[in-house]
Amino acid sequence: MKITKIFKDFFESEKVGGILLILCTVISLLIANSLFGESYHHFWLTKFAGKNIEYWVNDGLMTIFFLLIGLELEREIYKGELSNVKDAFLPIFGAFGGMLIPTGIYIYLNHGTLTHSGAGIPMATDIAFALGVLSLLGNKVPTSLKVFLTALAVIDDLGAILIIAIFYTKNLLWINLIIALSIFLILFILGKYFRVKNLIFYIIGGVAMWYYMLNSGVHATISGVLLAFAIPFGNGGKKSTSYILQHLLHKPVAFFILPIFALANTAIVLNSNISSTLTQNYSLGILFGLIIGKPLGIFALTFIAVKIGICKLPSDLNWKSILGVGFLGGIGFTMSIFITLLAFESETIINNAKFTILLSSLVAGMLGFLFLKFALKTLS
């Protein structure tokens, strides 16, 4: 299977970034539960330009992460796994299953409770962590499996972005939203019809769009995705504006922005009553959603899609490897934590949900690794 250089670069940066994320998470947990825990927690609450540092990380730096997600999605649509409709159906069905079943499980367990707003938490897949675990299996991983997981995670992220935009928007200020969308339209026209390639115009316009989106009630990170689709893709070659920006962002996002996000959002103080934490309805929804719902949903819908002839399974894969990837899809982390921060207001619930996400992602990652290690032996 032909694989582009940008995909190779993406996979390399994501797998190393995944390992770095694990290290940052462990460091953050250790510090948060040490003698320096209180000081560490207060550091992220330190005010800067009227807002705390954690706020700027989640609403500022993470917009750049969403910009990269948008650029990757755009490339997948134009030149990648999603450019061929029939090939795209396999990860599309997998992603839909991986979103619907976990969300359904969470809603079933939390319907009518104050924590029903967390339904979007178990639907997310962390690309960096998932590819990081996949990379630990070495060269025996078929390229088609890497591409399937990447495409599935990108579609998954798009679903999470839409959920954030639709269901986690509060106190909508229409005038600011209209200004933000007008800036997007201007940038889109500049790229699409006037062939403006200079990134400066898009950076300045993107910052303005972010500001008005931030003050509209819609989460500011959505501006990153919109900006990605305003930037001209051209032929997708090395000289295209989209390629240049995507290439520039890979390493800063993988080695700086996501690790900073991990450090800022995993300063979780572990309480002694873990059993009580894990038996809460929202915790069970996250646990069962990520560990059971994700692999079940991904496997079931891809299996149905293949059996009814909508798409086909690549020749170098089998159903065991698809189920293994399904478990890796249960590594929620970045997006799951991000949605947690939007879904809940109680610091106790947020803290417990973060811990449950970490535990669920760890279990899902281990199950995926072990299952794929066994499944790949049968492929070789």
Side-chain angles (χ1 to χ4, degrees), residues 189-223:
I189 292 171
L190 283 176
K192 186 75 173 177
Y193 298 103
F194 290 92
R195 311 292 183 190
V196 175
K197 297 181 180 179
N198 194 322
L199 272 171
I200 294 299
F201 291 100
Y202 299 101
I203 292 171
I204 293 172
V207 171
M209 180 166 55
W210 172 83
Y211 174 80
Y212 284 103
M213 194 70 79
L214 179 71
N215 291 284
S216 72
V218 177
H219 204 270
T221 51
I222 302 301
S223 62

Side-chain angles (χ1 to χ4, degrees), residues 219-234:
H219 204 270
T221 51
I222 302 301
S223 62
V225 180
L226 292 177
L227 180 60
F229 282 89
I231 293 169
F233 184 81

Side-chain angles (χ1 to χ4, degrees), residues 243-378:
Y243 180 99
I244 291 168
L245 184 58
Q246 188 178 356
H247 187 71
L248 285 172
L249 290 179
H250 269 158
K251 287 183 171 57
V253 168
F255 302 125
F256 177 71
I257 291 174
L258 289 181
I260 291 292
F261 176 83
L263 289 170
N265 290 285
T266 57
I268 303 166
V269 178
L270 304 177
N271 60 55
S272 56
N273 199 355
I274 293 176
S275 60
S276 175
T277 298
L278 296 179
T279 52
Q280 300 295 319
N281 282 15
Y282 59 89
S283 296
L284 292 173
I286 295 169
L287 272 169
F288 293 148
L290 289 174
I291 298 172
I292 298 172
K294 270 289 185 180
L296 178 62
I298 291 169
F299 180 87
L301 259 73
T302 51
F303 185 81
I304 291 169
V306 170
K307 291 303 177 184
I308 63 178
I310 294 176
C311 52
K312 62 180 182 178
L313 193 67
S315 58
D316 56 349
L317 299 184
N318 60 24
W319 289 113
K320 291 176 184 175
S321 58
I322 295 295
L323 183 57
V325 164
F327 281 112
L328 294 187
I331 304 175
F333 197 74
T334 305
M335 290 299 289
S336 293
I337 290 176
F338 195 83
I339 294 173
T340 297
L341 299 172
L342 301 176
F344 304 132
E345 295 182 2
S346 165
E347 190 172 336
T348 300
I349 293 177
I350 290 173
N351 196 70
N352 290 345
K354 284 181 180 179
F355 172 74
T356 308
I357 291 165
L358 289 179
L359 181 62
S360 302
S361 297
L362 175 63
V363 172
M366 289 175 64
L367 288 172
F369 175 82
L370 294 171
F371 206 93
L372 280 172
K373 193 170 184 180
F374 168 75
L376 293 175
K377 282 181 181 179
T378 63

Side-chain angles (χ1 to χ4, degrees), residues 43 79 136 142 153 172 174 183 241-242 256 285 290 314 316 328:
F43 167 76
K79 293 189 73 174
L136 298 176
L172 189 64
W174 281 103
I183 294 170
T241 309
S242 178
F256 177 71
L290 289 174
D316 56 349
L328 294 187

Side-chain angles (χ1 to χ4, degrees), residues 14-28 65 126-130 253-263 266 331 333-334 358:
E14 290 298 307
K15 76 177 186 181
V16 178
I19 295 168
L20 184 58
L21 270 178
I22 294 170
L23 289 174
C24 287
T25 301
V26 171
I27 290 169
S28 183
F65 165 73
D126 190 290
I127 298 178
F129 261 133
V253 168
F255 302 125
F256 177 71
I257 291 174
L258 289 181
I260 291 292
F261 176 83
L263 289 170
T266 57
I331 304 175
F333 197 74
T334 305
L358 289 179

